[in-house]
Amino acid sequence: MPQPNWFAHYASVFDTVEINASFYSWPTIANVQAWRRQPGGKGVVYTVKDCELITHVKKFKGTKTLIRDFGIIADILGEQIGCFLFQLPPSYRYTKARLAAIVSQLDPKRRKALEFRNKSWWNEEVYRALRNAGIIFCSCSGPRLPDELVRTADEVYVRLHGRERWYHHNYSDEELLKWASRIRGSGAKRAWIYFNNDYDAHAPDNAKTLHRMLAPFRLKRMAPRPT
């Protein structure tokens, strides 16, 4: 189909999209307004990945003002804002000081998810701190990371990158059923689930399959769109 129709087609199938361009380049107000104006995109909920300046360059050192300024995106998107996702690099290991620095800088008024790429963050100290702060622990399906769903808030967040190779995996029905069972059993009010881009473009089919597996659960438990 013509490229201008791509997003409308996407929006006819899925409820939400995760914006990753914002990780590489700080979005302007015009950028964010353009997301809202995309043809066929009315009602689509945008989750926005915070800029690497915060997570990879400064690594949460003195970034409270940057995080606050980035949060203006939510004011522009209004009811179409989903989560703010903070992804940390694999080299960033857990310490109590780092955990405290992260939690102290995140605005409790915003819906936030933290994605760690180092398995040292899968521990009870982290879970407890995020629960107390109302921050979502991002469960991450990826090589050398714990294959489990962690819930630290009323909502869960899952990113599926590929079990054995990053961005190069076609999830089987058995693997997706396992995630569907975990999500249903979590008791979460809402689940944010995203498949990463992969080299062979399996993500759309995998997402549709998991979407279908969760359909009965969605009809029973789906909450109103976030405000």
Side-chain angles (χ1 to χ4, degrees):
M1 65 179 65
Q3 185 172 346
N5 297 343
W6 286 3
F7 190 77
H9 176 65
Y10 178 96
S12 72
V13 179
F14 300 116
D15 306 311
T16 179
V17 63
E18 185 186 88
I19 301 292
N20 280 282
S22 53
F23 175 75
Y24 302 102
S25 178
W26 195 286
T28 65
I29 291 176
N31 292 149
V32 182
Q33 290 172 336
W35 301 342
R36 294 202 64 171
R37 291 196 302 267
Q38 290 191 87
K42 186 178 181 180
V44 172
V45 177
Y46 295 92
T47 276
V48 186
K49 190 173 177 180
D50 276 61
C51 187
E52 63 179 344
L53 176 63
I54 295 168
T55 57
H56 285 58
V57 178
K58 292 183 174 291
K59 298 180 180 177
F60 280 101
K61 291 182 179 178
T63 53
K64 189 170 185 177
T65 299
L66 288 173
I67 294 170
R68 182 198 64 199
D69 291 348
F70 197 89
I72 293 172
I73 290 172
D75 300 325
I76 301 171
L77 288 177
E79 65 182 10
Q80 286 183 263
I81 185 64
C83 304
F84 284 103
L85 173 70
F86 298 84
Q87 177 198 307
L88 282 301
S91 60
Y92 194 77
R93 296 184 60 83
Y94 163 76
T95 70
K96 289 185 178 180
R98 286 175 171 176
L99 175 61
I102 292 171
V103 171
S104 67
Q105 294 182 71
L106 298 186
D107 185 348
K109 297 178 182 178
R110 308 292 192 193
R111 184 185 285 109
K112 310 157 297 293
L114 288 171
E115 182 189 15
F116 301 104
R117 295 283 181 93
N118 188 296
K119 64 182 181 181
S120 63
W121 291 89
W122 271 255
N123 70 69
E124 289 301 327
E125 292 278 349
V126 173
Y127 305 157
R128 187 179 307 112
L130 300 194
R131 286 190 192 104
N132 291 339
I135 299 170
I136 303 170
F137 184 100
C138 174
S139 300
C140 180
S141 173
R144 298 176 296 282
L145 294 175
D147 185 37
E148 59 185 272
L149 179 68
V150 177
R151 178 185 166 189
T152 59
D154 289 340
E155 305 177 14
V156 292
Y157 197 110
V158 182
R159 297 185 92 211
L160 297 108
H161 303 289
R163 285 191 59 191
E164 299 172 357
R165 296 174 64 189
W166 291 96
Y167 325 125
H168 220 316
H169 187 74
N170 184 14
Y171 283 87
S172 67
D173 284 359
E174 182 181 0
E175 290 170 330
L176 295 176
L177 278 170
K178 184 181 293 185
W179 277 106
S181 177
R182 291 168 175 168
I183 293 162
R184 286 196 300 267
S186 71
K189 293 181 179 179
R190 184 185 288 113
W192 306 89
I193 311 165
Y194 301 97
F195 288 81
N196 208 328
N197 297 319
D198 65 280
Y199 293 109
D200 297 310
H202 295 301
D205 281 339
N206 290 168
K208 286 193 290 186
T209 299
L210 184 57
H211 197 263
R212 185 170 62 251
M213 290 175 176
L214 288 170
F217 175 74
R218 293 175 65 251
L219 291 172
K220 181 180 178 181
R221 294 288 303 276
M222 180 173 280
R225 290 211 184 274
T227 57

